[in-house]
Amino acid sequence: MFDKPFSATTFVLFFILCDVSLATIENAKDNQKSTYIVHVAKSEMPKILNHHSIWYRSILKSISNSAEILYTYDNAIHGFSARLTLEETQLLKSQIGILKVLPEKIYKPLTTRTPQFLGLDKVTDMVSESNATSDIIIGLLDTGVWPESKSFDDVELGPVPTSWKGKCESGENFTAANCNKKLIGARFFVKGYEASVGPLNATQFRSPRDSDGHGTHTASTAAGSAVKGASLFGYASGIARGMAPHARVAIYKVCWEDNCVGSDILAAMDAAISDNVNVISASLGGQAVDYDEENLAIGAFAAMEKGIVVACAAGNDGPTDSTLQNVAPWMITVGAGTIDRDFPVYVKLGNGQHYSGVSIHDGSLTPRTFVPLIYAGNARVKIGAELCLTDSLDPEKVKGKIVFCDRGNISRVEKGLVVKSAGGVGMVLGNGEIDGEELVADAHILGTAAVGFSASKAIKMYLQQAQNPTATLVFQGTVVGIEPSPIVSAFSARGPNPITPDILKPDFIAPGVNILAAFTKDAGPTNLDQDDRRVDFNIITGTSMSCPHASGIAALIKSVYPNWSPAAIRSALMTTAYVSYNNGKKLLDSATNGPSTPFAVGAGHVNPIASLNPGLVYDLTADDYLNFLCALNYTPERIEAVARRKVSCDAQKHYSVTNLNYPSFGVVFKPVARSSNATIVKHERTLTNVGVAGTYKASVTLDIPSVNITVEPNVLSFNKNEKKSYTVIFKASHPPRRSQSGFGRLEWSNGKTIVGSPISIIWE
């Protein structure tokens, strides 16, 4: 470009032009608008104004003539959301009454036999479910609903509860007539999405109608009516019903094209609180951040204060440590496990060997005889062929063959589409070492067998050694009674809690693998654009599926004990969860194929029947959570952003995170000099008797001999409804030589009822 020597003048001119260009770019960035959520101290509103929304508009007008409010929030937070430039946000922060100005955050959806597996077929023996549960309303924040599904049939239900204050919004292909006595409410929130992401595309319904299927699936899992003859292509056939089949459903559509925007989520929670739901189920999440910066957590705090149980998915980023989402202590955090049902398929090789896998086959043509088998990496036309990436396979080499694809990079079902598009007649999808032996069944668009890492290695060896490798796939349908089950899913997010390790999360696990539930008729079971199959039910996997199991069970408990707090309900779910199989061995972890730890399983696997009679509970109030925030040294402004009111921490009072009355124990030993004496951590707890009068005795197990645990007192006698407190002293005799963690369990027993709490121990 520059073929002549530069003069000094040329250099000066060149750098001036560069400076001008960079300044122009920076100015353009400064003038770009983004969505922000503004937290306001409502108490600062001028008395001359009669409504906070007027005040919010006046604040915004004072710093911008062009900014417009997206949402005004009344319940979830005190504040509003708006599109602002960087300069406008700085001006806004200086205004009286402004607590926080947070940038928009985008969340993601975290994507039958389970009633029988959980023992819910026995609930009718304990609860007059049709009467008690029908007054409970579960609000679901998700992708919407397919109202025509039989899972939302209202034949067995009476009038809509008088407590309900919500509505059924009309929109594209959706009217108020789509709601009934089961699906009593449906709303959609899209302003935040369109402001941050852009206009909806033509595939999305501008209404509560579900074009994705995720929301329909979670809603029917939580509270779907019983549907006989449900299945996916004949798999998992039987009666499909939700955890609380007589509870009412209210839909809050906040997710669009796999994006759920924070301002929309807050607006939905605002509405759900106003509508008087009893349970909020949110199968979505984002990276964990401090509680005063987490929209979902702040909205959940407001819901908790109204007595609403909020259950959230733990996330699908396991088995890596500290990957948990939705970790605020006033929320229920749910991990995922398997159930005792599988969909086996065998890969038969030409050498006579066969290897087991899983899959769901729609019955379309798949070779019943041996056909050539090829490794995808040997049919390469571009990089990524071994992973069966789009357009990476050579049709001349793939046509008429079963293709072995490595897992990773793109979705499992997309790989099947790539193989089919290249002319393949079947696929073997092989786990890598990081995937281990955990298998997930998908409704692939061609015959497929997903196999574990060990089988994957063996099949690859055969492909390398055989001169003319061949294979066939043999589908076995549905098999129940699989043992051992449940097993903690490898994808289920793990502790320790990334924000406050003293609060052990997840709280517990629930069924989240290969779950059959209702689905949209606007998409195929793979959600691929090219999948033109339509189904009434689909089988999906993720903590998104485990969350509505917990929500539905929480609704059952709420129907039996309507005056219990959200904390008491969570306590009942946690302290009655089980951590071992009938043979006494610990629940397995799919990631390690060894015993699970509380970082994976929390308090254990949910046990709905036992949770209805927990004996004792650990209760909490909003003030307890505020003391917890004081213990974290939150400033008054940070606490007000969460609590929506002024709170002052008492400088004379000793606040401790370890005194939060949580049903588990996250023990964190701080660094000390090796020459120092033993380190001691104390946790204080209070139990409330919700059963019959009796005496409970404490017992403790721990897998670290260097830590001693003392419970004072270790015997508690209760009258009915009586509260008793105790202290647990954890004493480490010496600091570890390297990073170390340990796990244990504290149980209170009266000889009949066991009240269990997990223990995790880490050194910072």
Side-chain angles (χ1 to χ4, degrees), residues 305-378:
E305 286 197 288
K306 294 289 187 179
I308 301 169
V309 178
V310 180
C312 298
N316 297 338
D317 293 330
T320 306
D321 289 345
S322 294
T323 49
L324 288 164
Q325 303 173 16
N326 301 318
V327 295
W330 47 86
M331 307 161 81
I332 297 176
T333 310
V334 192
T338 65
I339 62 173
D340 64 340
R341 181 181 64 198
D342 215 344
F343 312 111
V345 57
Y346 292 97
V347 183
K348 279 191 174 183
L349 302 179
N351 63 1
Q353 297 296 311
H354 61 86
Y355 298 93
S356 62
V358 300
S359 190
I360 297 166
H361 183 45
D362 65 6
S364 60
L365 184 63
T366 296
R368 298 184 182 277
T369 58
F370 286 93
V371 298
L373 175 68
I374 186 172
Y375 178 54
N378 295 331

Side-chain angles (χ1 to χ4, degrees), residues 408-652:
N409 197 271
I410 62 174
S411 74
R412 300 180 299 269
V413 292
E414 283 182 271
K415 295 173 186 289
L417 175 63
V418 172
V419 171
K420 185 177 181 180
S421 299
V425 295
M427 178 174 70
V428 178
L429 182 59
N431 277 5
E433 185 172 7
I434 193 171
D435 306 306
E437 300 304 318
E438 181 169 78
L439 300 175
V440 176
D442 297 298
H444 290 277
I445 62 173
L446 83 169
T448 295
V451 298
F453 179 55
S454 58
S456 180
K457 288 192 296 182
I459 296 171
K460 281 185 176 180
M461 184 66 69
Y462 168 70
L463 281 164
Q464 291 175 4
Q465 296 177 347
Q467 190 170 359
N468 296 298
T470 60
T472 189
L473 307 179
V474 182
F475 296 90
Q476 300 291 299
T478 304
V479 176
V480 298
I482 300 295
E483 292 184 357
S485 61
I487 297 174
V488 184
S489 303
F491 64 78
S492 189
R494 309 302 166 102
N497 184 329
I499 304 301
T500 314
D502 312 75
I503 306 300
L504 177 55
K505 294 276 189 173
D507 291 319
F508 53 86
I509 64 169
V513 177
N514 298 337
I515 304 303
L516 179 78
F519 202 63
T520 181
K521 283 293 191 75
D522 195 58
T526 63
N527 280 113
L528 296 173
D529 292 339
Q530 298 84 350
D531 189 352
D532 58 4
R533 299 171 298 176
R534 295 295 180 265
V535 297
D536 294 312
F537 293 85
N538 200 5
I539 293 172
I540 312 181
T541 289
T543 54
S544 277
M545 284 63 253
S546 55
C547 173
H549 280 88
S551 306
I553 299 166
L556 288 177
I557 299 174
K558 184 75 173 177
S559 71
V560 178
Y561 306 105
N563 296 322
W564 277 16
S565 69
I569 291 173
R570 176 185 54 208
S571 175
L573 290 166
M574 290 178 66
T575 61
T576 60
Y578 60 92
V579 293
S580 58
Y581 302 111
N582 290 335
N583 62 9
K585 294 185 177 180
K586 284 186 177 181
L587 301 185
L588 293 177
D589 186 339
S590 179
T592 62
N593 205 30
S596 61
T597 74
F599 285 161
V601 79
H605 191 283
V606 67
N607 185 342
I609 302 302
S611 69
L612 292 171
N613 289 296
L616 308 173
V617 297
Y618 295 88
D619 206 358
L620 284 161
T621 66
D623 286 344
D624 294 319
Y625 293 121
L626 295 177
N627 289 340
F628 165 77
L629 295 178
C630 287
L632 294 177
N633 295 318
Y634 272 36
T635 63
E637 292 76 19
R638 294 183 69 186
I639 296 177
E640 187 171 0
V642 177
R644 309 170 323 287
R645 60 183 180 276
K646 289 189 178 297
V647 176
S648 296
C649 301
D650 187 347
Q652 305 303 314

Side-chain angles (χ1 to χ4, degrees), residues 150 349 498 568 621 746 754:
K150 292 181 181 178
L349 302 179
T621 66
L746 167 62
I754 293 177

Side-chain angles (χ1 to χ4, degrees), residues 129 133 138 182 221-224 241-248 552-553 555-556:
E129 189 194 354
T133 317
I138 304 176
K182 177 67 172 181
T221 298
R241 49 159 282 185
M243 301 298 97
H246 292 95
R248 316 300 176 119
I553 299 166
L556 288 177

